[in-house]
Amino acid sequence: MDCELIIKKVSKHYAKKMPFVIFSMPQSECVKFFLQKDDTVHTVVKLSENGFILAPYDYKDIAFYIPEKNSEIFDTQIPIEEKKVSPVVIPNDIKERNKYIKLLDKTIETINNKNAEKIVLSRFKDFELENFSLEKLIRQLFSVYPTAFKYIWYHPNTGLWCGATPETLVEIDNNSFKTMALAGTQVFKNKSYTAWGQKEQEEQQLVTDSITTNLQKVTSVLKVSNPYTHRAGQLLHLRTDISGILKTNKATLTSITSALHPTPAVCGTPKKFAKEFLNENEGYNRAFYTGFIGPITNNGTSTLLMVNLRCMKIEGNIASVFAGGGITHDSQSIEEWEETQNKMQTMLQVLQPML
């Protein structure tokens, strides 16, 4: 079906408050559409039914789900183009900045007291939109960020979520798997110069070590690459690729997802302490931010699940944009604040025509 006809169809579906998901894989121009035929709330425990999963940060074995068998399915191409971008000016809120820096200082002090090695602190900021249009959102999101996994999800019970994430939680193809450790952030300046400090390198190693330890029980072979620079839009990250073979009859998509989520890249290490600290101090409900998303195919034996980063929730004319960063003993509060400002630009570029 023609691209514009599908977009109009989705817009009408949304006006009726009917569930849908639109997504495209990294490096792909193909955009898939699942339009659920009713407004039933579907959830799954075993990640083995074909469809699209949306799981919260506080995942406890139940994820929201749009099933293939209950949906109209379309695909089309929305041309990808590298647009020249200029940062969106974020209004300066001194009270908001000081409050977050105070929390950053407390987090660094907690780590320096040897209670944790890393804690991933986050925040959100609301932006008022002018003349929000789902059609405009679709065209804007799916024409940028070619290396990212992009999606728009809607269900009346969850609201409208949208994102362009660079981070794989797990990719499975029969008994082989791939995942990644992604940490450290800096703004892309030019192709010829990238330098990573000790703080970023140590943070990256913490994430890598924690992921490989968690995978020991479900894998028979584990391979780890050297860290390298990965570009995601106008941001650069340190990335380590991790791959291997799953234990026969012992590892499923459900078990490996439970072993990995939440990763040290979105929670911290040790996981239990970091999660409790965040629950007590972060001050808001992350909901689906830093949860995981993605299509389940071949009954879970061929699947790509992504960490839900660089995302936002849109409700009425308000877009809540989320961002965070990994805090270690070397962290500087002002720099961590600036990092969240930079990370918000990914979604702000999508919203720019509506701000």
Side-chain angles (χ1 to χ4, degrees):
M1 187 184 290
D2 176 74
C3 171
E4 292 303 313
L5 289 177
I6 296 176
I7 291 174
K8 296 285 185 189
K9 188 175 180 69
V10 176
S11 186
K12 290 177 182 177
H13 203 73
Y14 178 56
K16 295 176 184 176
K17 297 188 176 180
M18 296 285 280
F20 67 85
V21 65
I22 312 168
F23 64 96
S24 66
M25 309 300 265
Q27 305 287 8
S28 174
E29 292 184 11
C30 180
V31 182
K32 289 185 174 290
F33 298 74
F34 290 4
L35 275 58
Q36 194 172 300
K37 295 175 183 176
D38 55 36
D39 62 358
T40 302
V41 179
H42 293 279
T43 58
V44 289
V45 176
K46 291 186 177 180
L47 306 180
S48 58
E49 298 179 48
N50 291 355
F52 193 97
I53 294 293
L54 176 75
Y57 163 69
D58 192 20
Y59 172 65
K60 294 175 180 173
D61 301 325
I62 296 178
F64 284 89
Y65 167 64
I66 291 181
E68 271 191 22
K69 63 184 180 183
N70 219 36
S71 303
E72 285 188 272
I73 298 174
F74 306 94
D75 60 69
T76 188
Q77 286 193 339
I78 298 175
I80 291 174
E81 50 186 90
E82 280 275 11
K83 296 181 178 180
K84 286 188 177 180
V85 296
S86 54
V88 173
V89 177
I90 300 176
N92 191 20
D93 187 329
I94 298 297
K95 186 177 178 181
E96 177 187 37
R97 178 179 179 273
N98 289 345
K99 181 181 177 182
Y100 193 66
I101 286 176
K102 185 177 178 181
L103 181 53
L104 285 163
D105 289 340
K106 180 179 180 179
T107 307
I108 295 167
E109 182 182 3
T110 299
I111 292 168
N112 286 336
N113 288 336
K114 310 297 182 183
N115 290 313
E117 294 178 281
K118 176 182 176 180
I119 297 172
V120 182
L121 202 61
S122 71
R123 65 186 182 95
F124 73 93
K125 186 172 180 63
D126 290 339
F127 295 86
E128 189 170 352
L129 306 178
E130 294 182 5
N131 303 315
F132 169 73
S133 160
L134 178 64
E135 294 181 26
K136 194 178 290 185
L137 180 69
I138 294 170
R139 293 188 187 95
Q140 187 75 0
L141 177 67
F142 290 100
S143 66
V144 295
Y145 306 129
T147 62
F149 178 97
K150 294 161 286 192
Y151 79 95
I152 300 172
W153 162 288
Y154 172 74
H155 193 290
N157 285 53
T158 64
L160 182 69
W161 286 76
C162 162
T165 176
E167 183 167 348
T168 300
L169 179 66
V170 64
E171 181 178 358
I172 288 181
D173 184 10
N174 293 315
N175 68 335
S176 64
F177 79 94
K178 297 177 184 176
T179 185
M180 66 172 68
L182 201 71
T185 302
Q186 60 179 273
V187 176
F188 172 75
K189 293 177 181 176
N190 60 67
K191 294 179 180 179
S192 61
Y193 178 76
T194 306
W196 295 103
Q198 184 176 340
K199 185 261 182 187
E200 290 84 5
Q201 293 178 50
E202 287 183 356
E203 181 187 350
Q204 171 66 8
Q205 194 59 51
L206 283 172
V207 174
T208 303
D209 291 345
S210 180
I211 289 175
T212 54
T213 299
N214 290 339
L215 287 172
Q216 297 284 346
K217 295 178 182 178
V218 293
T219 58
S220 57
V221 177
L222 204 56
K223 296 179 181 178
V224 182
S225 76
N226 291 323
Y228 63 95
T229 299
H230 172 80
R231 182 179 175 187
Q234 292 303 302
L235 298 177
L236 300 175
H237 305 285
L238 265 175
R239 170 174 166 175
T240 299
D241 294 326
I242 303 166
S243 60
I245 305 297
L246 299 173
K247 287 184 178 178
T248 307
N249 300 324
K250 289 188 178 180
T252 62
L253 179 60
T254 307
S255 65
I256 194 170
T257 300
S258 296
L260 288 169
H261 178 79
T263 71
V266 301
C267 179
T269 184
K271 183 191 293 188
K272 185 175 184 295
F273 180 89
K275 197 167 186 180
E276 288 174 355
F277 179 89
L278 292 170
N279 287 342
E280 292 172 10
N281 294 280
E282 206 164 38
Y284 80 101
N285 180 5
R286 288 188 182 187
F288 298 103
Y289 168 60
T290 65
F292 58 89
I293 51 173
I296 293 180
T297 55
N298 296 330
N299 299 315
T301 62
S302 178
T303 296
L304 175 66
L305 296 179
M306 306 292 292
V307 182
N308 194 17
L309 301 174
R310 312 293 187 272
C311 68
M312 60 186 167
K313 180 181 181 180
I314 299 175
E315 192 169 3
N317 68 333
I318 299 295
S320 300
V321 180
F322 301 85
I327 312 304
T328 68
H329 66 92
D330 283 330
S331 293
Q332 301 295 318
S333 296
I334 300 296
E335 293 176 5
E336 296 296 338
W337 163 263
E338 290 297 333
E339 182 173 316
T340 61
Q341 296 282 86
N342 291 332
K343 285 177 175 175
M344 285 185 181
Q345 290 296 330
T346 301
M347 286 296 96
L348 291 176
Q349 295 301 322
V350 174
L351 291 174
Q352 197 164 36
M354 293 173 273
L355 290 172

